[in-house]
Each structure stands twice: as structure tokens, then as C-alpha cells.
Amino acid sequence: MEGGPAGATSTPPEPDDAEVARLFCAGDERALAWAYERWAGQVHGMAVRAFGPGPDAEDVTQQTFISAWTGRERYSPAQGPLPAWLVGVCRHKIADSWARRERQRRQTEAAAADVRSRPGSTQPDAVDDVVADRVLLLGELNRIGQPQRTIIELAFFDDLTHTQIAARTGIPLGTVKSHIRRTLERLRTRLEADGAALQS
């Protein structure tokens, strides 16, 4: 008979879960793609249960896989299956997101208390306007992607300078400045549009 086996030139089958975990630990980027393909649905489902469908759940899903990949040296197949480890990473990301939301809530309440404590600022409308502005800003942040959202939060909620943000995130200083400028322009345009719609 001539020639080799009929399937000799076909694409090899994808590895099983254990092999994906081994390759993941070894830094094989194909394993990251396989892991995302197999378990992103499970991770995203956890995020949706925590935050509902939308950008928050999508952000947590992406952050889980990015964190898992960049921190893969902390995972060993001997500790358990890779999807179980990914679930643990996802839980941490969900907890981080809830902590950030709680910090933002406290900062919103602090802004309202600050306005109330100022002389001549006892009118409820003045307090409501400040709180409404802060809540509106938080709502707009939910619509923008990463890394812009993180940069804006560090600048306006953690009061970090551009240089400190660059050091914290590893993003070049010029990129940090341009992200802040463009994001604020988009927020201003959207807020002006929303204001016009309310007045019409």
C-alpha cells in the first residue's frame, strides 16, 4: 500500500484538561486560548451572578484570565484542576470589585457630608447636586473599558498623581495623561448630552 495513514496530515486533537493545565504552567500561550475557550463561560457565569450581565461581569472575566496568566507561577496542577483554580481567581476579582464599589459609595457619602458641613451649604438641593454628580460619574465609569477606567479611578477616587498612576499600573506617563484627557472629554460630551436630553 502507498502513502501513510489517512489522518497523518490532519490537525492534531486538542489536549485534555490535564495537559492544558501543564502547558498553562509552562507558559504555552496556546494553553491560555484553550483555557479561555473551555472555562470562560463558567467564570463569566460567576461574574454575572455577582454583578448581573454587563460590563462589570465582562471586566471580571477578562481580569480573571489576565491575572491567572500573569500569575501562573502560583498554580501547580498538583494543587487541583486548572478550572478550580480559575474559579478561585475569579472569586478574588469579584471581591476586589465589590470592595472598590464600597469604597466609591463611602467616598460619595463623604462628599455629601463635606458639602453639609460647609457654612452656607445647608440647602438640600446643593447636597443632592454634589451627590448626583458623583453617582453620575460612577455610572459613566461603568461604561468605559480598561485601562481607562482604572486610571480614572486612581486619579479621582484615590487622588493619585499622573506619575503615581504610571508607577502603579506600569503604563507610560504620556499614555496615562492621554487616557485621562480623552476619557474626560468623552465623559463631558456624554454628560452634556444627557443634560440636554433632560432639559428638552
Side-chain angles (χ1 to χ4, degrees), residues 17 19 21 23 28 36 39 52 65-67 74 77 87 97 114 118 122 139 141 144 162 166 175 184 186-187 192 198:
D17 290 354
E19 180 65 5
L23 293 172
D28 190 323
Y36 191 87
W39 300 305
F65 280 89
I66 291 171
S67 179
R74 296 192 298 271
V87 164
S97 294
D114 180 58
R118 294 175 185 173
T122 57
L141 286 177
I144 65 177
H162 293 174
T175 303
L184 289 180
R186 286 198 298 271
L187 288 174
E192 287 174 352
L198 289 172

Side-chain angles (χ1 to χ4, degrees), residues 89-106:
V89 175
C90 182
R91 287 198 184 102
H92 283 295
K93 293 302 176 184
I94 289 172
D96 289 346
S97 294
W98 278 118
R100 184 169 60 250
R101 284 187 171 195
E102 176 62 17
R103 184 168 65 251
Q104 291 170 345
R105 183 189 64 78
R106 291 197 303 269

Side-chain angles (χ1 to χ4, degrees), residues 120-140:
S121 297
T122 57
Q123 295 181 357
D125 287 348
V127 176
D128 291 344
D129 286 346
V130 171
V131 176
D133 287 345
R134 179 61 66 89
V135 172
L136 190 56
L137 175 59
L138 295 177
E140 291 301 321

Side-chain angles (χ1 to χ4, degrees), residues 59-82:
D59 283 349
V60 165
T61 302
Q62 293 173 357
Q63 291 168 14
T64 295
F65 280 89
I66 291 171
S67 179
W69 180 248
T70 57
R72 59 188 179 276
E73 72 279 355
R74 296 192 298 271
Y75 169 70
S76 169
Q79 298 172 339
L82 180 56

Side-chain angles (χ1 to χ4, degrees), residues 172-191:
L173 179 59
T175 303
V176 168
K177 291 180 178 180
S178 63
H179 275 322
I180 290 176
R181 184 178 64 255
R182 288 197 298 266
T183 301
L184 289 180
E185 287 173 354
R186 286 198 298 271
L187 288 174
R188 183 163 51 249
T189 299
R190 190 189 298 274
L191 293 175

